[in-house]
Amino acid sequence: MSSSTFCELDLILVRHGTTQWNREKRYVGHADPGLLPDAEGELGALGQRLRGMCFAKVYSSDLRRCTETLRLAAPQLAAEAVLDERLRELDFGAWDGETYESLKDMQLYRSWLDDPRCVTPPGGESLEHFEGRLTGFLKSLLEEILVENRSGAEGIPAVLAVTHGGVIRQLAALTVPGLDFWSVQLSPTGMAGLRLRYEDGWIMGSWLRNI
């Protein structure tokens, strides 16, 4: 892509509904708990918001808490969703299901909190790998943008991704100047967005706080 050519995309991000592990403040990475039995209640408002929105493409993490969120909140969108492993939460390895209280006296855990770029949870995923798969997802969206532009579509296309809190934070940190992992706080079933600009091999984002 030349420096004079750019594409823009609105990536609408939804955090999945609440699981029992979320309620218990446990780390939930690649473990696959489902939503709470009364999930329909908290997903009602999300469904109302999604009902009036149009998307060029719908993606979801393949983990159950995300697919259930999409199916219960917006079954019409769930039918067309692409399940993508790259949208999974960070893999916490042996720490999946643990809490801060159960890990706080472990030196390796303390070191990970201090410098997650240099420490990896035992049996888990490095921050470098996590960032790599999310960057790969963002780059793959560019092909969809170009297809839409060639077909004569006008305006900025929107893509929906139902995913995890850590994924949303990391996507913002990767693309929006001035934001880091802890800058974004999104509750279960929360919705936010990134306006992504692809230009000359770079991906630059701006944070859409109100959707």
Side-chain angles (χ1 to χ4, degrees), residues 2-210:
S2 71
S3 59
S4 61
T5 303
F6 70 89
C7 293
E8 288 185 313
L9 166 72
D10 285 346
L11 179 58
I12 310 304
L13 298 160
V14 169
R15 185 182 175 192
H16 62 78
T18 307
T19 70
Q20 185 63 34
W21 280 15
N22 293 139
R23 180 168 286 179
E24 295 170 356
K25 301 187 182 304
R26 298 182 183 276
Y27 283 101
V28 195
H30 285 200
D32 204 17
L35 300 179
L36 292 172
D38 58 352
E40 291 89 344
E42 71 169 353
L43 292 170
L46 174 62
Q48 289 291 335
R49 298 171 76 187
L50 290 172
R51 193 162 293 123
M53 302 178 73
C54 296
F55 301 102
K57 197 90 171 181
V58 177
Y59 290 92
S60 174
S61 162
D62 64 332
L63 295 178
R64 191 157 54 115
R65 55 195 184 273
C66 291
T67 60
E68 288 180 354
T69 294
L70 187 56
R71 176 176 57 82
L72 293 172
Q76 74 282 5
L77 297 176
E80 61 184 84
V82 176
L83 304 187
D84 196 320
E85 291 184 352
R86 294 174 297 180
L87 290 173
R88 288 185 176 193
E89 183 60 276
L90 178 74
D91 185 356
F92 297 111
W95 297 341
D96 231 346
E98 298 291 339
T99 66
Y100 172 79
E101 289 299 320
S102 67
L103 296 171
K104 66 181 182 180
D105 295 327
M106 185 184 300
Q107 183 55 51
L108 183 64
Y109 175 69
R110 306 293 307 187
S111 299
W112 177 70
L113 291 179
D114 291 339
D115 193 354
R117 194 166 295 280
C118 293
V119 179
T120 299
E125 181 178 19
S126 69
L127 182 59
E128 181 181 13
H129 186 272
F130 184 46
E131 291 178 339
R133 61 178 165 91
L134 295 183
T135 299
F137 173 74
L138 292 177
K139 289 181 176 179
S140 70
L141 294 180
L142 179 58
E143 297 180 8
E144 299 296 330
I145 298 169
L146 292 176
V147 167
E148 291 296 324
N149 285 346
R150 283 198 295 266
S151 68
E154 296 182 358
I156 298 176
V159 168
L160 175 68
V162 180
T163 183
H164 309 265
V167 170
I168 295 170
R169 289 174 171 179
Q170 196 64 46
L171 287 171
L174 286 170
T175 60
V176 182
L179 294 188
D180 62 23
F181 182 82
W182 299 110
S183 298
V184 173
Q185 302 291 334
L186 205 61
S187 299
T189 74
M191 183 189 301
L194 291 169
R195 176 156 293 174
L196 300 173
R197 181 184 176 105
Y198 296 78
E199 185 172 7
D200 196 26
W202 293 90
I203 306 173
M204 185 70 71
S206 56
W207 185 242
L208 305 177
R209 296 182 182 276
N210 299 311

